[in-house]
């Protein structure tokens, strides 16, 4: 499937899902809740330790809907699409040949939550995605797994929780814990996890401050990993590519309504590392890169 056709088919499916959800939301006493988000992202030049540099631009698209099945429990579906265009210059660290180019991810998540009493809920979210460089074998690019979490909602509306994820991530199984935080320190300050659909990913913490007039700002850090199958015709045929790092960021948000917001991001990716593996997942080369600037703009609409 070509890059253009892949993007069109994914976005068409997203549009169809949201159209159905919008119609459902228009019904009287609807139990549906839906959202859509679009995030253009740009990561500036990161100098490679052994020569050369790279940058990345792209977009992250999410859309989904969920239904109140009663008793405080919900079931839903979220469509995922990511597009990353990597550009390498004088990549001496990789033998003067770019290790990869354009990378795409598409798939879905089925989030489920079940109320179990006394403010507690259990969440289960299986997912399946295909994450690959253009020209890679789709059948070898599947990333699948699930997260399981338990969350306590207190009488003042604050939430705390713990969870774990288990994923088969292309020649590697990854198990990781995570925390769920939504805690208002006072009328202005709040500690939360970063926006899941933003450029930083949700695996971190963010301290927010609410201004008057619909503006908020936050500062935080997260951990982000992009792991994908490499092209059959690239320098490492059917191999595995990975970029990882710690985005440290400042976010400024304009809340137009309770359902619509625009988030501006600026920061750096620290502790960055590129990794290339062969088709069996054995390491061939790793390369650190210097802190790279990161910018993003996320529009979120809920209906």
């Amino acid at each position: 499937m070509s890059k253009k056709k892949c993007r069109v088919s994914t976005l068409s499916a997203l549009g169809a899902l949201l159209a159905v959800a919008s119609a459902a939301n228009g019904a009287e006493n609807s139990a549906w809740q839906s959202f859509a988000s679009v995030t253009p992202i740009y990561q500036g030049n990161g100098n490679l330790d052994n020569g050369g540099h790279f940058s990345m631009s792209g977009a992250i698209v999410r859309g989904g809907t969920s239904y109140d099945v009663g008793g405080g429990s919900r079931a839903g579906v979220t469509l995922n699409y990511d597009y990353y265009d990597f550009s390498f210059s004088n990549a001496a660290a990789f033998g003067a040949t770019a290790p990869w180019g354009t990378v795409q991810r598409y798939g879905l998540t089925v989030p489920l939550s079940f109320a179990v009493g006394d403010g507690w809920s259990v969440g289960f979210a299986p997912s399946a995605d295909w994450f690959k460089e253009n020209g890679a074998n789709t059948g070898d690019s599947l990333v699948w797994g699930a997260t399981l979490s338990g969350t306590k909602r207190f009488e003042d509306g604050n939430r705390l929780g713990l969870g774990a994820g288990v994923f088969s991530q292309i020649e590697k199984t990854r198990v990781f814990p995570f925390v769920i935080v939504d805690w208002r320190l006072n009328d202005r300050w709040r500690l939360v996890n970063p926006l899941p659909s933003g450029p930083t990913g949700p695996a971190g913490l963010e301290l927010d401050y609410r201004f008057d007039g619909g503006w908020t700002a936050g500062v935080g850090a997260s951990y982000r990993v992009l792991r994908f199958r490499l092209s059959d015709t690239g320098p490492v045929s059917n191999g595995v590519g990975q970029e990882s790092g710690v985005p440290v960021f400042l976010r400024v948000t304009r809340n137009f309504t309770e359902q619509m917001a625009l988030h501006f991001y600026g920061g750096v990716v620290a502790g960055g590392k590129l990794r290339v593996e062969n088709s069996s997942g054995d390491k061939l080369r790793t390369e650190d890169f210097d802190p790279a600037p990161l910018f993003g703009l996320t529009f979120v609409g809920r209906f």
Side-chain angles (χ1 to χ4, degrees), residues 103-117:
V103 175
Q104 298 187 73
R105 171 196 179 201
Y106 48 91
L108 59 85
T109 304
V110 181
L112 308 170
S113 63
F114 307 94
V116 294

Side-chain angles (χ1 to χ4, degrees), residues 21 24-25 29-34 64-77 111-115 303:
N25 284 340
N29 298 323
S30 173
W32 292 90
Q33 292 181 359
S34 305
T65 188
S66 66
Y67 183 75
D68 185 350
V69 297
S73 300
R74 302 193 69 87
V77 60
L112 308 170
S113 63
F114 307 94
F303 44 96

